[in-house]
Amino acid sequence: MRIPALMLLAALPATARADAPAPLVPSFAEETATAGITSVYGGDWEYMVGGGAATLDCNADRRPDLILAGGSNPAALYVNDSTRGGALAFHAVQSGLEQTAVLGAYAIDVDSDGISDVVLLRSGENVVMRGLGDCKFERANEAWGFDGGDAWSAAAAATWEKGQSWPTIAIGNYIDRTQDMFPWGSCTDNWLHRSDGQKFAPPLALKPSYCALSMLFTDWNRSGTPSLRIANDREYYKGGTEQMWHVDPGQPPALYTEKEGWKRLRIWGMGIASYDLNFDGYPEYFITSMADNKLQSLAEVPKDGAAAKASYADQAFARHAIAQRPYTGDDLRPSTAWHTQFEDVNNDGFTDLFIAKGNVDVMPDFAAHDPNNLLLQRADGSFEEAGDRAGVASGKTARGAALADFNGDGLVDLVVVNRRETAQIWRNTTTGSGNWLTLQLHQPAPNTDAIGSWIEVKVGDQVQRQEVTIGGGHAGGILGPRHFGIGPATKAEVRVIWPDGTAGDWAEVAANGFFDLSPGQAPAAVTP
């Protein structure tokens, strides 16, 4: 049954019941047929999860290129040919990434040579592909000591631990794929690939593991040391729960406990997105599931320098960030949510939320027609559904996705990977949107992309904050510039808190521009 609107209204806090101005509804034009995207995420049992999309700039032309997982079909790298403000255009290239059994991909500059590398998640051996430049890649498992194993891998995240010149990569593994007749209770170990000089040490099993489908290294308490959040699929584990691990330099990983505030939570965890929605300096987390999606905020924000407790309160219904059932059509069964990502799609200064939807296969208890969600954030912190009005309410069986400004016009576009159907791509054609900034971080090796930084953008008394991460989403994510909407403001102040904890100076920049940010330097305007 549908939840009555009056019940939802009653659940909202007083601030969310105020008559906040309705957000500008963006418009998206699907350009799949003309953009050159032809990938299909194929396959049956071993590919019911995964189907990720990743962005990176593989040819240094400041346009985001695309990697799309193919499942039983080859993965594909699409080079971006879009002109600024024009129609979206891509062409597939032979890059070395055209491997089968790929569920997802994350771009990362492993060796800090300034050229992005790629981690391919596979049903079978995972592969780290070294970037050679000009969108070419070569296998690097042996050269870099990376043991790809032989599992069903659908999640990854990466960080640079303090004092290390090589990244730490977490790999999330799903069920034992040989147990297709009775997979329940067959979750396989997740792995932590830590550094050993200029290569990876043998993988360390994270026990217990509970069928991971998303991972994210995140500095949830602003301590300067990221922890590892893992979204797990309750469909197959026995006695499992959502997890967060301490990953402290030089120490074995350890689970957060109830004494530290961590609460037992059991959902069909599939994707993770993070953003500081309420401007308090700490990130909120949206975790997708089958029907029971969560929007988590710290239960108590620490004061006067006190340490934060790892205790979270669910605000999904209170803030109307709900996606439990389809919002169009007559299919009232529960939804199945996968990739999720926060981005400001109308540039009003309040980040919005996209959720890719699709039945696992033909599960009769869940919706077959399950349109993607686009939840617009209002100025009071509540959300409203606009996927159908914006033009992205596809009813295809979605999995992974990516939101990025593909044509450099300051509006965030969208690509979605669909199971057994062609991926779709939409250009953001919104008129009357707010102003924006695009900020790209650079720092000397190691960790040239400054993963683990916090970018802050201040307009008046309001400060937006994004944590720069590799991971989250579902089986794919963004590497490259970070987008901020700033509404009607014609200028803003920006600064970066770098991975070593150094806070840069506030610097004023003009709206509607692209800027490179580096430690100790003024923002440098660039033209894409």
Side-chain angles (χ1 to χ4, degrees):
M1 61 178 291
R2 290 192 184 276
I3 299 170
L6 287 177
M7 290 177 60
L8 288 173
L9 184 62
L12 293 175
T15 54
R17 292 199 299 268
D19 293 328
L24 172 69
V25 176
S27 59
F28 285 80
E30 185 175 353
E31 297 186 345
T32 304
T34 57
I37 303 295
T38 59
S39 285
V40 174
Y41 182 68
D44 294 320
W45 159 249
E46 295 179 36
Y47 306 106
M48 63 180 179
V49 301
T55 70
L56 75 168
D57 181 3
C58 64
N59 56 5
D61 68 354
R62 293 187 177 269
R63 289 181 288 192
D65 307 302
L66 268 176
I67 303 170
L68 301 182
S72 60
N73 299 317
L77 173 63
Y78 289 92
V79 172
N80 192 346
D81 300 319
S82 308
T83 57
R84 188 168 185 181
L88 303 184
F90 295 82
H91 72 278
V93 297
Q94 292 296 309
S95 64
L97 303 179
E98 300 79 29
Q99 302 181 35
T100 57
V102 173
L103 280 77
Y106 288 88
I108 174 176
D109 186 2
V110 172
D111 56 356
S112 295
D113 65 352
I115 301 173
S116 297
D117 313 302
V118 175
V119 177
L120 294 178
L121 303 174
R122 301 180 68 250
S123 178
E125 183 192 31
N126 299 319
V127 182
V128 175
M129 301 292 292
R130 177 173 177 257
L132 305 176
D134 197 25
C135 302
K136 303 294 183 185
F137 298 85
E138 68 178 8
R139 177 185 171 96
N141 283 26
E142 291 74 21
W144 289 349
F146 184 82
D147 181 353
D150 182 17
W152 184 347
S153 301
T159 188
W160 267 259
E161 296 186 59
K162 285 183 171 61
Q164 300 299 323
S165 59
W166 212 250
T168 291
I169 297 177
I171 299 291
N173 295 319
Y174 199 46
I175 52 182
D176 183 345
R177 66 189 191 279
T178 67
Q179 303 300 312
D180 56 327
M181 298 303 294
F182 194 84
W184 292 273
S186 69
C187 296
T188 54
D189 290 339
N190 301 322
W191 302 321
L192 196 66
H193 297 262
R194 289 180 127 165
S195 65
D196 181 13
Q198 297 292 313
K199 60 185 179 71
F200 293 101
L204 176 66
L206 293 175
K207 296 178 178 289
S209 293
Y210 297 129
C211 296
L213 287 178
S214 188
M215 296 177 135
L216 182 66
F217 278 107
T218 175
D219 189 5
W220 66 274
N221 59 357
R222 303 303 301 268
S223 67
T225 300
S227 302
L228 179 64
R229 283 200 67 144
I230 306 180
N232 296 310
D233 183 3
R234 67 172 292 178
E235 181 71 19
Y236 294 111
Y237 61 63
K238 293 182 178 179
T241 181
E242 296 293 286
Q243 294 173 304
M244 187 161 70
W245 292 82
H246 295 276
V247 183
D248 296 325
Q251 301 296 319
L255 279 169
Y256 278 81
T257 66
E258 291 186 9
K259 289 183 179 180
E260 296 173 283
W262 189 251
K263 298 176 182 178
R264 181 176 176 84
L265 176 64
R266 302 182 69 190
I267 59 174
W268 292 273
M270 295 180 175
I272 304 173
S274 68
Y275 207 96
D276 178 10
L277 296 177
N278 56 10
F279 312 108
D280 67 355
Y282 295 89
E284 277 68 46
Y285 298 93
F286 193 84
I287 304 101
T288 56
S289 178
M290 299 171 74
D292 193 15
N293 304 285
K294 302 294 183 183
L295 176 59
Q296 295 185 334
S297 185
L298 278 178
E300 184 177 351
V301 175
K303 298 179 180 179
D304 302 323
K309 292 194 69 176
S311 178
Y312 285 87
D314 181 24
Q315 297 186 346
F317 276 91
R319 298 179 71 161
H320 211 142
I322 53 173
Q324 275 71 2
R325 286 179 170 83
Y327 56 92
T328 63
D330 57 3
D331 194 334
L332 302 183
R333 292 171 292 180
S335 282
T336 306
W338 300 90
H339 182 87
T340 184
Q341 187 174 335
F342 286 111
E343 290 289 349
D344 188 350
V345 296
N346 54 11
N347 289 339
D348 63 357
F350 299 96
T351 191
D352 310 303
L353 178 64
F354 175 79
I355 309 167
K357 293 285 195 64
N359 198 298
V360 174
D361 198 347
V362 287
M363 296 184 72
D365 294 334
F366 292 85
H369 176 75
D370 204 358
N372 302 323
N373 296 90
L374 185 61
L375 293 163
L376 303 181
Q377 187 180 181
R378 299 160 65 97
D380 64 1
S382 64
F383 289 82
E384 68 174 62
E385 181 61 63
D388 50 349
R389 291 176 288 161
V392 298
S394 170
K396 295 185 177 181
T397 307
R399 289 294 188 266
L403 290 95
D405 182 3
F406 291 118
N407 64 350
D409 62 355
L411 295 168
V412 175
D413 309 302
L414 170 67
V415 63
V416 175
V417 176
N418 297 308
R419 189 177 184 201
R420 301 194 185 104
E421 296 186 82
T422 304
Q424 294 170 278
I425 193 164
W426 289 265
R427 177 164 60 97
N428 190 332
T429 58
T430 306
T431 58
S433 64
N435 294 324
W436 50 272
L437 295 172
T438 298
L439 307 176
Q440 173 74 64
L441 302 190
H442 304 275
Q443 71 172 15
N447 187 12
T448 56
D449 293 301
I451 304 304
S453 296
W454 286 83
I455 306 176
E456 299 185 334
V457 172
K458 181 165 61 175
V459 175
D461 295 330
Q462 181 172 292
V463 180
Q464 296 185 61
R465 298 174 180 88
Q466 280 194 45
E467 185 180 15
V468 180
T469 61
I470 292 176
H474 180 70
I478 302 294
L479 181 67
R482 302 292 162 145
H483 171 267
F484 291 82
I486 58 172
T490 57
K491 59 186 178 181
E493 292 182 90
V494 302
R495 75 166 181 173
V496 179
I497 301 174
W498 298 95
D500 64 1
T502 302
D505 295 329
W506 288 102
E508 186 176 286
V509 295
N512 303 330
F514 298 80
F515 297 90
D516 284 348
L517 304 179
S518 301
Q521 299 182 27
V526 296
T527 301

